[in-house]
Amino acid sequence: MRSLRNILVIATTAATVVVFTVMVVALYVSTRIKLLNRFDNSLLEKARLLASTIEYDDDGDLDLEFKEMDMREFEAGAEGYLQFWLDGDKLLYRSPSLGASDLNQFGGTDEEPAFSWVDLPEGRRGRAVGYTYNPRFDIDYDEDKYEYDDDDDEKDKAKKLRKKLKKERKIERARSRMKPMTLMLGRDTGPIDAILGDLFTQILVTGILAVIILAGVLWFVVRRSMKPLDRLATQISQVGDEDLSKRIELAKAPSEIIPVRDRLNDLLSRLEAAFQRERSFSADVAHELRNPIAGLRSTMEITLGKEREVGEYQEAIDDSLEITTQMQDMVEKLLSLARLESGQVEIKPEDVALNELIDSEWKTLAESADTKKLKVHWESGEPVRVTTDASLLRIVVRNILENAVSYADEGGDIRIEVASGNGKADISVSNSSSKIDREQAEHVFKRFWRSDVARTDAGLHCGLGLPLVKKVAEVLGGTATVSTSDNGDFKISISVSNYEAG
Amino acid sequence: MAILFIEDYKPLLKSVTKGLREAGYTVDSTGDGEEGLWFALTGKYDVIILDLMLPNVDGLTILKKLRKKENPVHVLILTAKDTLDDKLKGLDLGADDYLVKPFAFEELLARVRALVRRNYEKKSPLITVADLEIDSNKRIAKRAGKPLDLTAREYAILEFMALNAGNVVSRTNIWENIYDSAAEAYSNVVDVYINALRRKLEDGGLSRLIHTRRGEGYVLEEKD
């Protein structure tokens, strides 16, 4: 199982190990380079010092003065190795540490001494510096000695000149005997490797300890900071299907969890509201079906209770039929609503002439409007067209017209208006209604809500017509609104845009 | 026995009113809460059958107002609301019974009968005065073991008088019990029914049970 906690601990620890390793390697390498540099410098320094002690004298003989210096480091078994050659390969001196072996020459000049790794006797390894140079020529030549004084006579002068020439010839001779000297100075690097090894071991041990401690601390800290997630899970698990009113509290939650908690609580609120709606809707449906069923049952039971005249049976059947029709109407509206809500309705857009739609729907209502002596203000006029689903729009038109006829005051007015423009069509139907006030008007789109007026002839209206209108209008991408005017007009306005798929 | 039926669903109002009348009750019915409250406060009823969701004034308000005025009338709530909460609310406000729609009409009748009996503090459906036996469930009366052939109105008057046996009941009392408020009063209708009842009760030379109290009314009792 992927665990955030493990991922965090492992990733952080691994990253630390990598960073640490890189650091250690860099440190090791740079320290080693620095140490070797110093090593080389001290080698060169020593070499120069030794080299400077070798001189040619007036006779052109080499004077190996270094032999009188402290040469302990070159003794047998010591770490220093020294070898001099004259004129290339004529061995001049070999330190006792070298025994019978030689250091390899690898070039280098006085200006640019060469450094190299070398294999040393007894299987040792070390660094060496080497270069070829001309040893100093230590002559005892004092010019002044041969300068003429004012009081010198010719003889003295000639003597001085002869002496000077003799000296110069001697020097010349000695100079011609001078040969270049090659020096190799090596030293075992064992001590450096030992220091580096120690350093490396120490760093490694410290590092491993640090990583282990870090991983432990990380694990603890991550575990601690993940606690709110556990609490969140516990709290979520306590939210049951039965009771959605519970909210996730999670006091002292870290800022990363707060949005999660808040979104979850939002979700719970929406779920609760939806469940509540669903529950009360089911209760409403049950309630609304009980009345007509009670009506049907008692009508039938009472009629069957004793022998009756034919006319009474007919009346009872008429009554039952009427109840059945109302129930059918209600069930159909409920099914329409349910279908619209679950998105099972396919919208087939076509060009609809609104005027014709209103004319055809009005035909079925004209008679009841006449009975109520309603004055209808409706002029078909210029055709108003809209691209939408004709059968759904028909539901809207039928219901708002029915609503107007049902609730208009006796002898009142009904005003139907249509308009179009900006890619949409508006329909508004208003009726004079002294019994519905502004406050009540706000409820007309609620399911099963009926005004007291509607309740008075209970059964005729199930309180689903206008909610259906609103739902259909929304599905068609439009709106349905109601308004009341001060002179007691109740108005429903529908606005439907040209339908665009998607 | 007079019943007030307040119910806003018209088909139910119509059929149940008819059924109750056929069962011999005097029924006033209305589909409006406000009118119903007025009936309840002004009329004299044995039982009020009350719907809860009513236009203008709802059922619980009617009940509250009745109980506030200490009106002891028995109230049966007849409603589509079936939750325990609704039932408790109704009963706590002083309803005597609660019946959920849809219902069997026979059950409604039985509950109404039970409430009527409670009016006369009787638990048994059987009423006995001397050798007169009335079974208010079966709505039959027997004198000396012999069944009487009574019309619904005659039975209603006899039951009413038997429940008040030994006490004087006025013509108005009887009138209120057998006619709903819409009927016009005929001064001698009650006397006509009483005469018819006496004839049937005394058939075969049995002793008189319904006696006239001049200026007061009638009393049903056995006189030595």
Side-chain angles (χ1 to χ4, degrees), chain A residues 49 105 136 208 245 263 268 283 308-309 367 411 417 467 487:
Chain A
L49 177 70
Q105 286 188 38
R136 212 146 49 87
I208 289 172
S245 64
R263 293 298 90 74
L268 277 176
R308 293 174 192 279
E309 300 290 314
E367 205 184 306
E417 284 161 348
N487 55 12

Side-chain angles (χ1 to χ4, degrees), chain A residues 35-314:
Chain A
L35 284 175
L36 285 178
N37 258 333
R38 270 202 199 156
F39 190 85
D40 286 359
N41 284 340
S42 87
L43 269 185
L44 185 59
E45 229 169 76
K46 187 80 186 178
R48 294 258 193 237
L49 177 70
L50 290 169
S52 69
T53 63
I54 300 177
E55 289 170 347
Y56 281 102
D57 58 19
D58 291 358
D59 304 321
D61 292 329
L62 271 170
D63 177 11
L64 301 179
E65 239 175 74
F66 66 82
K67 286 186 177 167
E68 285 141 40
M69 291 167 60
D70 178 8
M71 295 292 276
R72 266 178 300 182
E73 62 171 308
F74 301 111
E75 281 170 8
E79 291 164 353
Y81 303 87
L82 180 66
Q83 195 164 4
F84 283 99
W85 293 269
L86 199 61
D87 197 15
D89 52 0
K90 223 177 101 198
L91 178 67
L92 186 69
Y93 173 79
R94 186 157 59 187
S95 68
S97 54
L98 277 167
S101 57
D102 289 314
L103 284 169
N104 285 328
Q105 286 188 38
F106 45 79
T109 62
D110 200 9
E111 286 79 32
E112 269 184 77
F115 294 91
S116 175
W117 286 102
V118 286
D119 288 318
L120 298 170
E122 292 160 31
R124 290 177 169 181
R125 226 176 127 64
R127 296 280 294 173
V129 65
Y131 60 95
T132 306
Y133 72 106
N134 291 315
R136 212 146 49 87
F137 190 52
D138 183 28
I139 50 167
D140 180 19
Y141 178 68
D142 186 1
E143 198 111 13
D144 295 343
K145 241 168 101 180
Y146 311 107
E147 282 297 313
Y148 311 128
D149 293 331
D150 291 342
D151 50 348
D152 277 349
D153 55 20
E154 285 302 313
K155 201 178 149 193
D156 288 336
K157 279 183 190 172
K159 198 177 163 189
K160 276 186 182 173
L161 186 63
R162 246 187 344 265
K163 267 190 180 169
K164 187 184 177 188
L165 285 173
K166 191 183 168 194
K167 183 81 178 176
E168 278 176 0
R169 262 199 314 275
K170 188 180 175 188
I171 292 170
E172 207 57 39
R173 220 169 30 245
R175 213 183 280 281
S176 70
R177 284 178 57 199
M178 264 170 56
K179 293 282 176 317
M181 177 80 75
T182 302
L183 169 152
M184 291 308 275
L185 173 60
R187 202 179 272 162
D188 186 2
T189 48
I192 291 190
D193 289 336
I195 292 172
L196 280 173
D198 275 359
L199 182 72
F200 192 69
T201 315
Q202 276 171 27
I203 292 179
L204 203 65
V205 169
T206 321
I208 289 172
L209 273 175
V211 166
I212 291 170
I213 292 169
L214 176 85
V217 170
L218 262 176
W219 192 78
F220 180 73
V221 169
V222 169
R223 211 173 95 106
R224 241 186 105 87
S225 37
M226 293 277 174
K227 271 270 163 62
L229 276 180
D230 293 342
R231 279 192 286 145
L232 188 69
T234 315
Q235 292 205 15
I236 292 173
S237 69
Q238 281 165 0
V239 178
D241 316 336
E242 299 300 313
D243 183 18
L244 286 168
S245 64
K246 256 209 176 112
R247 290 289 172 276
I248 295 158
E249 307 263 350
L250 219 62
K252 288 190 248 161
S255 60
E256 288 85 353
I257 309 270
I258 287 174
V260 177
R261 179 197 68 188
D262 292 352
R263 293 298 90 74
L264 271 172
N265 278 340
D266 287 352
L267 178 68
L268 277 176
S269 301
R270 284 200 299 279
L271 269 178
E272 188 189 13
F275 265 72
Q276 193 55 50
R277 257 202 313 279
E278 197 58 37
R279 210 171 287 164
S280 67
F281 179 69
S282 312
D284 283 346
V285 172
H287 180 255
E288 294 299 324
L289 280 170
R290 283 200 171 105
N291 263 323
I293 291 171
L296 265 182
R297 181 169 180 176
S298 65
T299 303
M300 292 173 179
E301 274 183 355
I302 290 160
T303 307
L304 288 172
K306 64 173 197 181
E307 200 113 329
R308 293 174 192 279
E309 300 290 314
V310 175
E312 282 188 76
Y313 285 122
Q314 275 171 348

Side-chain angles (χ1 to χ4, degrees), chain B residues 154-170:
Chain B
E154 286 164 355
Y155 172 81
I157 294 173
L158 184 62
E159 190 191 280
F160 177 64
M161 292 193 71
L163 285 168
N164 292 288
N167 298 322
V168 179
V169 289
S170 68

Side-chain angles (χ1 to χ4, degrees), chain B residues 16-209:
Chain B
V16 170
T17 304
K18 183 177 174 183
L20 287 170
R21 283 192 179 137
E22 284 175 1
Y25 293 102
T26 310
V27 184
D28 283 333
S29 62
T30 174
D32 180 84
E34 208 172 329
E35 198 180 35
L37 180 62
W38 183 83
F39 270 123
L41 290 174
T42 55
K44 189 177 178 312
Y45 300 99
D46 292 282
V47 176
I48 296 177
I49 303 173
L50 185 63
D51 186 14
L52 291 182
M53 300 202 14
L54 294 166
N56 301 322
V57 178
D58 71 74
L60 288 180
T61 310
I62 294 177
L63 184 58
K64 258 187 268 181
K65 290 199 169 164
L66 279 174
R67 295 307 184 220
K68 210 172 162 190
K69 290 197 186 298
E70 288 176 4
N71 190 323
V73 64
H74 286 131
V75 174
L76 184 154
I77 291 176
L78 183 66
T79 178
K81 292 186 172 181
D82 67 337
T83 65
L84 184 63
D85 264 5
D86 289 320
K87 287 180 189 170
L88 291 178
K89 210 157 145 193
L91 294 172
D92 284 346
L93 278 174
D96 298 275
D97 204 352
Y98 197 103
L99 186 59
V100 177
K101 297 174 192 172
F103 54 92
F105 185 66
E106 280 305 321
E107 185 179 355
L108 178 69
L109 280 182
R111 285 173 189 254
V112 167
R113 280 197 300 271
L115 290 179
V116 169
R117 276 203 304 278
R118 267 160 71 177
N119 269 355
Y120 301 97
E121 286 165 5
K122 272 184 147 330
K123 285 226 169 70
S124 158
L126 291 172
I127 311 163
T128 315
V129 181
D131 57 352
L132 174 67
E133 282 172 34
I134 298 172
D135 184 334
S136 61
N137 275 0
K138 294 180 185 155
R139 302 183 68 78
I140 50 168
K142 287 181 186 168
R143 179 93 203 261
K146 209 180 114 212
L148 301 171
D149 183 18
L150 302 175
T151 67
R153 286 248 157 80
E154 286 164 355
Y155 172 81
I157 294 173
L158 184 62
E159 190 191 280
F160 177 64
M161 292 193 71
L163 285 168
N164 292 288
N167 298 322
V168 179
V169 289
S170 68
R171 283 185 179 78
T172 321
N173 281 160
I174 296 171
W175 175 265
E176 279 174 351
N177 259 288
I178 57 169
Y179 280 103
D180 53 55
S181 49
E184 280 178 51
Y186 291 104
S187 59
N188 63 344
V189 163
V190 174
D191 297 337
V192 172
Y193 276 114
I194 294 290
N195 281 332
L197 266 177
R198 275 180 178 157
R199 229 180 6 257
K200 289 181 181 178
L201 284 169
E202 292 159 24
D203 189 33
L206 295 166
S207 66
R208 170 153 293 196
L209 285 176

